[in-house]
């Protein structure tokens, strides 16, 4: 049912040049705020990882690490109790606002998302920063629209561009940010919309690049050295992509069951959140490679000596922790954890075919292709997934072909399994609610 609410800006048309200028301003502010947020996120996540690493070496520290994690869970619960607008990924909330299904409270979303995200990342939950980054960008876009007294439709266009700038700032991937805004958030490529998004992403790219140089921010990279797979082994990569698509569809069905389960709905919200934080602490201490959003998991694959059985265990653990993060409604996205799960699926298949000559030198290729494949299949955004993988690897022309083929195979596999794109059902599941 379409929700009705009073628009927060008066009706006032804006010229095309005015739209471009305002979108650029919104992008500059969005890129700067999201860059600062992600810089702070990296710092608190690193601090949390150090605490868990210390507890792994000195188990006696678990006596205060576990209660500390529970206290973080209580803090996250209280924040969501006061500000339910910042629950979950952030992208479904922003997307539903852009569709006119719900209001987006500007300052509440920005401040609450920053605070909730930092609590999540300090605790090491399997949730990412990309969702909060998009939500922050959308809220900033609407704030600029308020300042400019735009009509509601034009305000939505500017907010879409600012949200794309937030996505671009989270990954340092401007083309993927623009494409994600068009393909996922608005599902359209109109001339005014496209121009607005490109203007906002350009502004955001300038601001986060300049700020990144000031504090020497680390760019999120999936891989930097991707070996080319011989043509006679290409079949193994296509099987890996098919496995990524199938597992993406399966994981979505599990999340849908979690969301619709009458039993799980009866569990008090504070118990759900505290359990997620405590579980993250335990796994962070004993399985360090599963800590946090998944960035550490991805980078560790290139240095680990793995077997397909050990990777399957990591897949099960990472999927479980991601499902717990989703179930808890803590602030954080599912896109980066999905990249990690896709990478693990790719490495599991590669290791399984090691006997056929698919050696460890191809780990980077399998992880990159399957990250893009899993992402495109799970979220129903194949173009954004492929472009994001290309931007984050500096891939050459031959790798482009493998990424495109892998995303296509995974997307078709997921469609045949009749999966609903993840954000579509999350838009319903993450509508504002009152914690009980």
């Amino acid at each position: 049912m379409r929700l009705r609410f009073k628009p927060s800006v008066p009706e006032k048309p804006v010229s095309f040049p005015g739209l471009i200028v305002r979108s650029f301003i919104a992008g500059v502010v969005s890129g700067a705020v999201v860059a600062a947020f992600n810089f702070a996120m990296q710092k608190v996540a690193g601090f949390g990882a150090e605490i868990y690493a210390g507890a792994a070496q000195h188990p006696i520290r678990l006596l205060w690490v576990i209660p500390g994690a529970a206290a973080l869970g209580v803090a996250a619960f209280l924040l969501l109790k006061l500000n339910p607008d910042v629950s979950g990924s952030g992208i479904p909330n922003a997307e539903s606002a852009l569709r006119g299904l719900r209001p987006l409270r500007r300052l509440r979303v920005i401040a609450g998302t920053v605070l909730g995200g930092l609590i999540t990342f300090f605790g090491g939950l399997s949730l990412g920063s990309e969702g909060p980054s998009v939500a922050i960008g959308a809220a900033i876009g609407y704030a600029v629209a308020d300042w400019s007294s735009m009509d509601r439709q034009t305000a939505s266009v500017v907010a879409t561009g600012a949200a794309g700038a937030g996505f671009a700032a989270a990954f340092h991937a401007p083309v993927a940010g623009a494409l994600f805004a068009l393909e996922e958030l608005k599902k359209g490529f109109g001339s005014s919309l496209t121009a607005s998004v490109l203007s906002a992403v350009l502004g955001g790219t300038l601001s986060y690049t300049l700020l990144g140089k000031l504090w020497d921010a680390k760019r999120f990279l999936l891989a930097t050295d991707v070996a080319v797979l011989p043509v006679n082994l290409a079949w193994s990569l296509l099987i890996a992509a098919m496995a990524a698509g199938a597992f993406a569809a399966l994981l979505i069905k599990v999340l849908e069951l979690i969301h619709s389960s009458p039993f799980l709905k009866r569990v008090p919200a504070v118990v759900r959140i505290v359990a997620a934080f405590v579980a993250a602490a335990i796994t962070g201490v004993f399985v360090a490679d599963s800590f946090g959003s998944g960035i550490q998991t991805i980078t560790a694959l290139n240095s680990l000596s793995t077997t397909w059985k050990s990777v399957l265990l990591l897949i099960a653990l990472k999927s479980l922790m991601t499902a717990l993060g989703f179930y808890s409604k803590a602030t954080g996205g599912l896109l980066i954890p999905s990249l990690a799960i896709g990478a693990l699926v790719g490495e599991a298949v590669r290791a399984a075919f090691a006997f056929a000559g698919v050696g460890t030198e191809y780990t980077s290729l399998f992880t990159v292709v399957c990250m893009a494949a899993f992402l495109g299949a799970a979220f129903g955004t194949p173009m954004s997934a492929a472009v994001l993988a290309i931007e984050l690897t500096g891939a050459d022309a031959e790798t482009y072909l493998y990424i495109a083929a892998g995303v296509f195979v995974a997307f078709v596999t997921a469609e045949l399994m009749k999966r609903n794109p993840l954000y579509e059902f999350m838009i319903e599941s993450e509508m504002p609610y009152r914690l009980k």
Side-chain angles (χ1 to χ4, degrees):
M1 182 178 68
R2 188 179 182 86
L3 298 182
R4 297 183 179 274
F5 59 92
K6 183 178 179 180
S8 58
V9 293
E11 298 289 331
K12 182 179 178 181
V14 178
S15 65
F16 184 77
L19 173 65
I20 300 304
V21 171
R22 287 163 175 79
S23 296
F24 183 83
I25 294 171
V28 168
V29 178
S30 177
V33 174
V34 170
F37 167 65
N38 278 272
F39 178 75
M41 176 273 293
Q42 292 173 4
K43 293 297 183 181
V44 299
F47 184 47
E50 290 177 3
I51 291 176
Y52 292 158
Q57 295 177 354
H58 307 282
I60 189 66
R61 296 183 183 179
L62 287 171
L63 294 177
W64 64 267
V65 167
I66 299 301
L72 284 176
V74 172
F77 164 77
L78 293 175
L79 174 64
L80 297 185
K81 186 77 172 178
L82 294 172
N83 190 359
D85 289 340
V86 300
S87 66
S89 168
I91 293 178
N93 291 349
E95 189 171 338
S96 59
L98 294 172
R99 294 182 186 182
L101 299 176
R102 55 169 288 178
L104 192 68
R105 299 170 179 86
R106 288 52 159 156
L107 293 179
R108 284 173 60 88
V109 168
I110 296 170
T113 298
V114 170
L115 179 57
L118 294 180
I119 293 173
T120 293
F121 305 135
F122 181 50
L125 267 66
S126 184
L127 296 170
S129 65
E130 80 296 329
S133 297
V134 170
I136 291 170
I140 289 173
Y142 274 117
V144 171
D146 290 343
W147 166 72
S148 303
S149 299
M150 290 182 180
D151 63 274
R152 183 171 163 185
Q153 183 176 358
T154 308
S156 175
V157 171
V158 172
T160 300
F167 185 96
F171 290 103
H172 286 212
V175 180
L179 192 55
F180 181 82
L182 297 169
E183 184 183 27
E184 172 58 38
L185 298 181
K186 273 295 189 181
K187 294 179 172 58
F189 293 84
S191 58
S192 295
L193 174 63
T194 301
S196 174
V197 168
L198 292 177
S199 178
V201 171
L202 174 61
T205 301
L206 290 175
S207 62
Y208 73 66
T209 300
L210 291 175
L211 288 175
K213 292 182 181 298
L214 290 178
W215 54 56
D216 192 28
K218 295 181 180 179
R219 182 183 175 188
F220 180 83
L221 289 173
L222 303 181
T224 55
D225 184 18
V226 180
V228 177
L229 189 70
V231 175
N232 65 310
L233 294 177
W235 57 269
S236 61
L237 192 58
L238 294 179
I239 292 176
M242 188 180 300
F247 193 75
L250 178 63
L251 182 60
I252 291 175
K253 292 182 184 297
V254 170
L255 295 181
E256 288 177 330
L257 288 175
I258 290 174
H259 169 63
S260 61
S261 169
F263 171 75
L264 294 178
K265 286 182 178 179
R266 288 196 293 267
V267 177
V270 65
V271 175
R272 299 198 302 261
I273 298 178
V274 169
F277 275 87
V278 170
I282 294 172
T283 56
V285 170
F286 295 104
V287 190
D289 292 331
S290 69
F291 174 83
S293 65
I295 296 175
Q296 185 167 332
T297 306
I298 296 170
T299 55
L301 281 176
N302 292 316
S303 58
L304 290 176
S305 177
T306 58
T307 64
W308 66 269
K309 293 181 180 180
S310 63
V311 179
L312 284 180
L313 291 176
L314 270 177
I315 292 173
L317 180 59
K318 192 63 183 175
S319 300
L320 174 62
M321 295 308 300
T322 301
L324 277 176
F326 167 80
Y327 177 55
S328 74
K329 295 287 186 180
T331 305
L334 295 177
L335 196 150
I336 294 178
S338 295
L339 291 175
I341 295 172
L344 290 169
V345 171
E347 174 58 11
V349 175
R350 185 215 60 78
F353 289 130
F355 71 91
V358 187
T360 55
E361 65 270 24
Y362 301 118
T363 291
S364 292
L365 177 64
F366 272 73
T367 55
V368 166
V369 170
C370 287
M371 277 188 280
F374 190 97
L375 195 65
F379 295 90
T381 54
M383 292 188 292
S384 299
V387 170
L388 180 63
I390 291 170
E391 281 195 280
L392 296 184
T393 58
D396 56 26
E398 290 184 84
T399 308
Y400 291 171
L401 177 61
Y402 284 125
I403 291 174
V407 170
F408 171 75
V409 169
F411 184 78
V412 171
T413 301
E415 287 290 308
L416 291 175
M417 294 180 66
K418 301 184 184 301
R419 67 88 180 85
N420 292 320
L422 188 56
Y423 287 143
E424 292 301 316
F425 98 85
M426 286 175 65
I427 286 175
E428 177 185 352
S429 69
E430 294 189 7
M431 292 294 283
Y433 67 101
R434 185 176 298 278
L435 292 172
K436 297 179 181 180

